[in-house]
Every structure is written in C-alpha cells, then in structure tokens.
Amino acid sequence: MRHFLCSNYRFSFHFLFLSRSVIEVRDGLTFLDLIVIQIENLNNKYGCKVPLVLMNSFNTHDDTQKIVEKYTNSNVDIHTFNQSKYPRVVADEFVPWPSKGKTDKDGWYPPGHGDVFPSLMNSGKLDIFLSQGKEYVFVANSDNLGAVVDLKILKHLIQNKNEYCMEVTPKTLADVKGGTLISYEGKVQLLEIAQVPDEHVNEFKSIEKFKIFNTNNLWVNLKAIKKLVEADALKMEIIPNPKEVDGVKVLQLETAAGAAIRFFDNAIGVNVPRSRFLPVKATSDLLLVQSDLYTLVDGFVTRNKARTNPTNPSIELGPEFKKVASFLSRFKSIPSIVELDSLKVSGDVWFGSSIVLKGKVTVKANSGTKLEIPDKSVVENKDINGPEDL
C-alpha cells in the first residue's frame, strides 16, 4: 500500500500485494523500482511523505527484507508486514495437514489477499498510520503497472465519505474470469467465478451481461478497517482453492480483498480506463510492456500514442517461453509491435534483433526443428512454419 499525507489532501499509504515485484520490467528496473520512483515523485511534487507498505507471506518475508535495503536512501518510507499463516486441509479427511505430521512450510499457506485487513491491524501498522493522521489506503497488486495514485478518485472519496472504493474496468474476452460487482440484498458485492455454479459459468463470462470486472485496485478508509476488524465483522466468503502438494490433495481456504466491499458504509465501484489495469502475470504480458508499445517516464508506464488500435495485441507464447529466463534468451531484442494485432508462437522459435511484427502473425516451429527469425525482419500478416515462409 502507498500512504500519503500532504498539503490539502488527506492521503493514505499505498499497500501492495507482493508477488512478481523483483522481476525486471524494462530499462533494468523492477516492478518495485518503478513503484518507489512513482512515490518519490509524488512526495517531491506535493511535499508529502507517502509511505509504501508491502504485505508478505511467511514464504517471501526474508527475501523482501533483503530487497528493500536497496531503497535506504530513498525519500519513501517502506514498511513490511506478514499476512496470516493457515494450515492446509487434507481434502479427503478435512483435517489440518500439520496435525498429521506435515509441520514444515508446505503444511501451511497464506490465506489470500482478503487477509490484508486483519493482518494490517494485527501487525500494529494500522494504528501507527492512524496516529500519523493517515485516512485512506490505496491497495493494489505489485504486478499491475497501471495501479498508480489517482488524486481525483481520492478527492471524490473524501468529499462523499466513501469508506471503500473498488476500481472496475470494462471486460474484454481476455478478462472473462475476472470478478464482477453485483447488487445483492441491498449491498454492492463482489462475485467471483469460483462462487458461480457450473451451469451458470458461461453466463458469468458473458461480456454482454457482466460488462465490468474488478482490477483489484482498492481505496479503503483506515478508521473503517479498524472498526470492522475490531468488531470481527469482515465475514468474507471463503473460496476453496484445491491444490496437490507432495502428492497429497489439499484445500486452501482463501478470501479476496474485494469481497470486503459489502461491509463498508457508502462503498462504491468506479469505472476507470483500461490504462489503470496493466497486469504482468505471464511472459506474454512482459513482451507487451517491454516493447515499443509502451514508454517509461518517471516510473510510469505509458502507452505509445502511435498505437491507433485502442486494444493491445493478443499475444500467445508457447511453453518454451514460459519462464522469464527462457523468454529473454529467445529474443535478441523485443520486436516492434505497435502495428501488431495478434501473435501466436509455438515450438523452438528464436527472434533476432530489430524485428517488426504487423497485423496477424503466427510462428510455428515443427517438432525437433529450430526456427530463427532473422535480424531486421519485417513480418506482416504471415503464417511462418519454416525459413521458406520468411
């Protein structure tokens, strides 16, 4: 979370769910580097002291403590705390796995980002920020490059006394699994795909019926969090997450931070531009943000105005590109994709430098064959299955 308190604005801190934040995005900068730069600029511009708060799990805590040391000379105060630690449940017996002897780390799990509210309270950080006069927290996933502070949203919340705000954005075919807001029993509520009966899943995925989805950019009033946690009133829906660990089928019982919306007074959803939702969950997303489709200015990733199509290209990369190291090794340089509509790559494919991709491009290397796209190639509306197609 980032927290800010400056001039005439009663800012909050910015809180981040830490996941892929140490991966390099572009220009040698990681997600966390970009976030710190953004908050540094905010603090310098408004003469304020917005802190950054990172929520870790027991799995990431030690690594995070080492990572944040590099920002010692920054003007951003960085806080960390751990979320809760719950025992995994053996699926066919419904008993905690540690009680059956699984006492190492694999017997436990962090219970989803819905745990942010009680963990923030239990860590003591919430009381610290309240004592400093902080009022709102902006919560976001660390890998969402579009999740930046928007003072217009904050001003609206303060003026209208909204305790909770969820940023939503129009759903596309790429977002059909995203949670959406519904009105139920007189309350605004989050509906996740895991809560939808099988016979209604296709209806849930419809971009005609459910036109928006949750970006997981949240703005929440700190006093309201304290009140609800102290009253043990945040009874979010539990989402069973089945896993298999060491050959044992287990359940993780998780909650989502967005599901808390129904417990806050005057809670709202705000429809925001797609630019505020730019997650990097896979190497196909990394290709987009590392390309000439985006530019980097003062820590902010901005879309190239030369792109006339309002939507981003569809990128599908085969399993050979799944790991970041493999992905990076297969590109001498990231191709130009400003005029690309779609790219589908499968097999043992390697890209040279200064390549331009336009229109619809498919590249497929046959089994056992290495296919190299030469330096400075311009590929437009082509299906490439071998060197003869170049």
Side-chain angles (χ1 to χ4, degrees):
M1 303 177 178
R2 306 169 191 173
H3 180 111
F4 26 176
L5 177 63
C6 70
S7 64
N8 295 325
Y9 290 101
R10 294 167 291 174
F11 289 159
S12 85
F13 53 93
H14 190 121
F15 180 93
L16 291 169
F17 302 130
L18 199 66
S19 54
R20 302 165 179 82
S21 57
V22 296
I23 294 175
E24 286 190 7
V25 182
R26 58 185 298 152
D27 300 350
L29 298 173
T30 67
F31 289 97
L32 197 51
D33 291 336
L34 297 180
I35 293 160
V36 171
I37 292 170
Q38 291 168 13
I39 302 176
E40 282 180 332
N41 290 330
L42 185 73
N43 288 341
N44 290 334
K45 182 175 181 179
Y46 292 98
C48 55
K49 198 70 174 174
V50 178
L52 169 65
V53 186
L54 304 172
M55 183 171 78
N56 300 296
S57 72
F58 60 91
N59 291 316
T60 61
H61 173 76
D62 291 344
D63 288 340
T64 301
Q65 295 305 111
K66 295 174 184 176
I67 292 165
V68 298
E69 288 178 2
K70 69 182 283 190
Y71 306 109
T72 303
N73 296 324
S74 166
N75 73 348
V76 178
D77 292 333
I78 300 179
H79 301 256
T80 65
F81 70 92
N82 278 8
Q83 65 179 124
S84 303
K85 178 180 175 182
Y86 284 13
R88 285 180 163 135
V89 177
V90 180
D92 58 357
E93 299 179 51
F94 291 104
V95 295
W97 205 8
S99 72
K100 295 181 69 65
K102 189 64 173 178
T103 55
D104 62 10
K105 276 189 174 184
D106 285 344
W108 302 81
Y109 71 99
H113 47 61
D115 185 57
V116 58
F117 304 115
S119 291
L120 183 62
M121 176 83 172
N122 295 337
S123 70
K125 298 291 184 183
L126 180 59
D127 285 331
I128 290 173
F129 296 130
L130 283 169
S131 71
Q132 295 172 349
K134 312 299 188 187
E135 292 189 34
Y136 280 88
V137 57
F138 176 48
V139 185
N141 294 336
S142 61
D143 57 14
N144 180 6
L145 295 174
V148 299
V149 171
D150 187 318
L151 301 186
K152 295 188 295 293
I153 294 176
L154 181 60
K155 182 179 179 181
H156 180 90
L157 302 184
I158 292 170
Q159 290 179 338
N160 293 277
K161 297 182 172 56
N162 302 112
E163 289 187 348
Y164 185 110
C165 171
M166 175 188 291
E167 294 185 28
V168 297
T169 200
K171 182 189 287 189
T172 70
L173 292 175
D175 316 304
V176 293
K177 293 183 179 180
T180 192
L181 287 181
I182 60 172
S183 177
Y184 183 69
E185 295 182 343
K187 290 275 189 176
V188 177
Q189 299 195 31
L190 178 69
L191 179 65
E192 298 275 17
I193 192 169
Q195 300 167 291
V196 178
D198 290 343
E199 61 270 25
H200 292 291
V201 166
N202 287 337
E203 188 179 4
F204 175 84
K205 290 181 176 180
S206 168
I207 63 175
E208 298 299 326
K209 182 153 192 173
F210 296 100
K211 298 181 180 181
I212 57 171
F213 74 99
N214 172 26
T215 65
N216 224 32
N217 298 345
L218 310 172
W219 301 76
V220 193
N221 182 277
L222 295 179
K223 289 180 180 178
I225 294 174
K226 182 176 175 68
K227 178 185 68 175
L228 290 168
V229 172
E230 286 182 339
D232 195 25
L234 291 175
K235 303 293 186 182
M236 281 98 84
E237 294 79 1
I238 293 175
I239 302 172
N241 185 4
K243 300 271 186 179
E244 186 168 322
V245 182
D246 294 340
V248 178
K249 292 182 178 179
V250 297
L251 287 175
Q252 297 182 179
L253 305 179
E254 303 177 0
T255 58
I261 190 170
R262 67 188 178 98
F263 300 102
F264 289 84
D265 291 338
N266 206 15
I268 60 171
V270 172
N271 199 335
V272 298
R274 184 75 184 199
S275 59
R276 292 189 60 76
F277 184 69
L278 185 59
V280 180
K281 304 290 187 186
T283 52
S284 54
D285 301 320
L286 199 57
L287 174 58
L288 289 173
V289 299
Q290 289 188 344
S291 74
D292 58 351
L293 192 62
Y294 288 93
T295 56
L296 185 62
V297 180
D298 295 334
F300 295 92
V301 177
T302 306
R303 202 162 182 267
N304 189 337
K305 292 181 180 178
R307 171 79 175 182
T308 56
N309 188 329
T311 61
N312 278 347
S314 168
I315 308 286
E316 292 182 48
L317 301 177
E320 296 82 5
F321 293 79
K322 184 174 182 180
K323 294 183 178 179
V324 173
S326 300
F327 162 82
L328 293 173
S329 70
R330 289 177 176 273
F331 290 95
K332 279 189 183 178
S333 67
I334 301 298
S336 169
I337 61 171
V338 171
E339 297 181 56
L340 180 69
D341 295 323
S342 66
L343 172 66
K344 187 172 183 178
V345 183
S346 58
D348 189 12
V349 179
W350 299 76
F351 289 83
S353 62
S354 304
I355 290 171
V356 179
L357 303 177
K358 299 181 180 183
K360 295 181 180 180
V361 176
T362 300
V363 186
K364 180 180 179 181
N366 295 322
S367 179
T369 303
K370 180 179 180 180
L371 178 57
E372 297 185 34
I373 310 300
D375 296 350
K376 299 182 179 179
S377 296
V378 177
V379 183
E380 183 172 3
N381 293 320
K382 275 191 176 182
D383 292 334
I384 299 174
N385 296 292
E388 66 279 2
D389 295 325
L390 288 167

